[in-house]
């Protein structure tokens, strides 16, 4: 999962209720009646509401409170602050794959879940997902996987029809085996004069192309910054610039009010959509656009974009109970429930093969067989190594692309600025 807004009202209420607790201690609170309150820190949408209720019903004396921050970019600095201060992180924290590396550098800040019997859970997770949250020697396990960001390409069938393009998802996927083909399709769409742009913003497309360029991005596996020497990064940049130069981008920042409105008013016809983004598209497009969106294969060979883990901070005062809750939420059953609630695609092979996932169709997306679309590729996906400051560097590259879209910098000037900003960030 990446930057996704979620239950803001509930989050605000919970955040207010938890403020006193967070201020005076790292772990969960105990009620006057002797019960235990477990605090779960998340961002975006994890789809755990019904699972919390089920767990509380089967564990008398346990109360779960989720403290949610909508955007990952807002969540990360707070999590860093809580971990550095040794208080405020609660009992279970969500770690998105793009921020995992920086916390894996200090595994002692987290409970070793192997000490709580997690070793026997390994077959429940994709092998590479398990290894991502394990120390190199395998002696410590920092987190249990929640979801993986299998990629698709969401598109507006009504806009495609208006442009004279096919609307059937198989035919649409056949339009773009490669990103060059996606560019060619975008040119045809633009020439048809629908009034809409072909995609929302360069940053989103860039991120999907980048994650298809090998086993690492801005850092090599020794955590050396290689943004300017990794040919995959430059290839993703150049491919994205070609799409921008063709006039295909709506130039709307993701998660901005304009972006949210763009789903409703048909400002763009396609958007690369990891499975977790489907919930956002449905929410922002509204019921009036049900059936207008569909899901096709993404150009290129597919790759992971997003996905998270649940970890237990050492500062938790209820480590045993927190570890048990993390195990429940990341079980095959828990991952299946989260997928059905918020489209977060499982990292558990058992859940992926569960008919409840495999046969799941999404009525909002024209009954697209999203369980099959994302499941067909997810087992073959290979992990991409993301270094400690991956997300902040990605933000700076995204800002540079925005400057190109707005005509403020030439592509070469923007690339030089992105590289320079990244180098200054990691000094």
């Amino acid at each position: 999962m990446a930057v996704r807004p979620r239950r803001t009202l509930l989050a605000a209420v919970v955040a207010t209720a938890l403020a006193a607790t967070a201020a005076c201690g790292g772990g969960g609170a105990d009620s006057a009646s002797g019960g235990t309150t477990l605090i779960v820190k998340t961002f975006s949408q994890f789809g755990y509401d019904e699972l919390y209720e089920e767990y509380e019903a089967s564990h008398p004396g346990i109360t779960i409170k989720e403290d949610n921050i909508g955007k990952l970019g807002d969540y990360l600095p707070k999590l860093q602050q809580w971990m550095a201060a040794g208080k405020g992180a609660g009992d279970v924290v969500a770690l998105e794959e793009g921020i995992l590396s920086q916390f894996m550098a200090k595994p002692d800040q987290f409970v070793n879940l192997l000490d709580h019997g997690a070793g026997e859970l390994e077959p429940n997770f994709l092998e590479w997902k398990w290894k991502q949250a394990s120390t190199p020697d395998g002696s410590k396990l920092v987190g249990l996987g929640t979801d993986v960001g299998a990629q698709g390409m969401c598109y507006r069938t009504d806009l495609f029809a208006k442009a004279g393009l096919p609307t059937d998802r198989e035919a649409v996927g056949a339009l773009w085996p490669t990103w060059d083909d996606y560019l060619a399709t975008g040119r045809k769409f633009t020439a048809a004069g629908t009034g809409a742009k072909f995609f929302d913003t360069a940053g989103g497309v860039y991120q999907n192309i980048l994650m298809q360029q090998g086993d690492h991005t801005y850092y090599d596996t020794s955590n050396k910054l290689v943004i300017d020497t990794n040919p995959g990064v430059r290839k993703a940049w150049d491919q994205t610039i070609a799409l921008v130069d063709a006039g295909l981008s709506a130039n709307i920042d993701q998660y901005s009010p304009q972006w949210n409105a763009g789903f409703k008013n048909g400002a763009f016809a396609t958007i690369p959509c990891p499975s977790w983004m489907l919930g956002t598209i449905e929410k922002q497009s509204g019921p009036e656009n049900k059936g207008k969106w569909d899901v096709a294969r993404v150009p290129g060979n597919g790759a992971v974009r997003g996905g998270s883990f649940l970890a237990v901070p050492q500062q938790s005062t209820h480590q045993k109970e927190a570890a048990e809750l993390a195990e429940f939420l990341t079980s095959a059953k828990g991952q299946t429930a989260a997928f059905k609630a918020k489209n977060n695609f499982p990292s558990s092979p058992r859940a992926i093969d569960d008919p409840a996932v495999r046969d799941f169709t999404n009525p909002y997306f024209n009954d697209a067989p999203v369980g099959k679309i994302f499941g067909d590729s997810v087992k073959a996906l290979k992990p991409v190594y993301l270094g400690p400051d991956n997300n902040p560097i990605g933000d700076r590259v995204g800002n540079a692309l925005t400057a190109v879209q707005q005509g403020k910098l030439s592509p070469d000037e923007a690339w030089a600025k992105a590289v320079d900003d990244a180098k200054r960030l990691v000094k």
Side-chain angles (χ1 to χ4, degrees), residues 92-424:
V92 178
V93 297
L95 299 176
E96 194 263 353
E97 68 162 18
I99 68 173
L100 178 67
S101 294
Q102 64 180 275
F103 292 104
M104 288 299 295
K106 297 179 179 177
D108 291 342
Q109 290 186 321
F110 298 91
V111 170
N112 182 3
L113 296 175
L114 296 178
D115 293 339
H116 292 269
E120 64 185 35
L121 304 176
E122 185 171 355
N124 293 341
F125 297 88
L126 294 170
E127 180 181 0
W128 57 266
K129 186 78 173 179
W130 179 270
K131 289 182 177 178
Q132 281 183 316
S134 299
T135 54
D137 64 0
S139 65
K140 294 184 178 179
L141 181 69
V142 168
L144 293 170
T146 59
D147 65 315
V148 290
Q151 294 184 23
M153 181 65 78
C154 293
Y155 66 99
R156 284 279 297 248
T157 56
D158 57 331
L159 295 177
F160 269 50
K162 191 175 181 180
L165 295 171
T167 59
D168 174 78
R169 64 182 70 94
E170 294 294 333
V172 170
L175 290 173
W176 48 55
T178 68
W179 287 102
D180 286 339
D181 296 319
Y182 179 76
L183 169 61
T185 304
R187 291 185 188 278
K188 292 178 182 177
F189 179 87
T190 301
T194 65
K197 291 293 186 178
F198 194 52
F199 61 86
D200 59 333
T201 187
V205 175
Y206 164 79
Q207 188 64 26
N208 279 265
I209 299 173
L210 177 66
M211 296 301 284
Q212 296 178 357
Q213 303 306 315
D215 61 359
H216 65 285
T217 58
Y218 305 124
Y219 291 87
D220 64 17
T221 54
S222 66
N223 283 337
K224 177 184 177 183
L225 185 69
V226 293
I227 183 174
D228 56 343
T229 58
N230 179 359
V233 177
R234 187 57 196 248
K235 180 178 180 181
W237 172 273
D238 289 342
Q239 184 73 71
T240 304
I241 291 298
L243 293 165
V244 172
D245 285 346
L248 306 188
S249 174
N251 187 21
I252 304 174
D253 288 341
Q254 290 194 340
Y255 300 99
S256 67
Q258 293 79 14
W259 187 72
N260 294 339
F263 286 104
K264 284 186 182 297
N265 59 31
F268 42 86
T270 69
I271 178 170
C273 53
S275 49
W276 48 258
M277 188 177 279
L278 268 60
T280 299
I281 294 173
E282 178 177 347
K283 176 183 177 181
Q284 300 301 341
S285 299
E288 64 268 36
N289 287 309
K290 180 179 180 180
K292 293 181 180 177
W293 284 98
D294 208 320
V295 187
R297 69 178 301 276
V298 72
N301 297 320
V304 177
R305 180 187 166 194
S308 296
F309 301 80
L310 296 183
V312 178
Q314 279 287 357
Q315 60 187 265
S316 168
T317 54
H318 301 295
Q319 296 180 4
K320 176 178 178 294
E321 293 84 354
E324 291 173 351
L325 175 61
E327 177 183 339
F328 171 76
L329 294 172
T330 59
S331 66
K333 176 184 175 181
Q335 292 192 34
T336 299
F339 171 68
K340 296 177 74 173
K342 295 296 178 184
N343 298 287
N344 297 329
F345 202 81
S347 62
S348 161
R350 282 181 52 202
I352 294 170
D353 291 334
D354 188 326
V357 173
R358 187 72 186 175
D359 300 335
F360 184 77
T361 60
N362 192 317
Y364 190 87
F365 290 82
N366 201 25
D367 291 321
V370 293
K372 183 177 186 305
I373 290 173
F374 293 118
D376 279 347
S377 61
V378 72
K379 287 185 179 179
L381 293 180
K382 296 181 180 179
V384 177
Y385 181 75
L386 305 173
D389 285 312
N390 173 78
N391 283 16
I393 292 173
D395 289 343
R396 283 154 178 77
V397 176
N399 292 339
L401 286 168
T402 297
V404 175
Q405 292 180 122
Q406 295 175 343
K408 296 179 179 178
L409 293 174
S410 72
D412 286 343
E413 291 171 337
W415 170 254
K417 184 176 190 309
V419 171
D420 185 58
D421 286 349
K423 290 182 176 179
R424 285 191 286 109

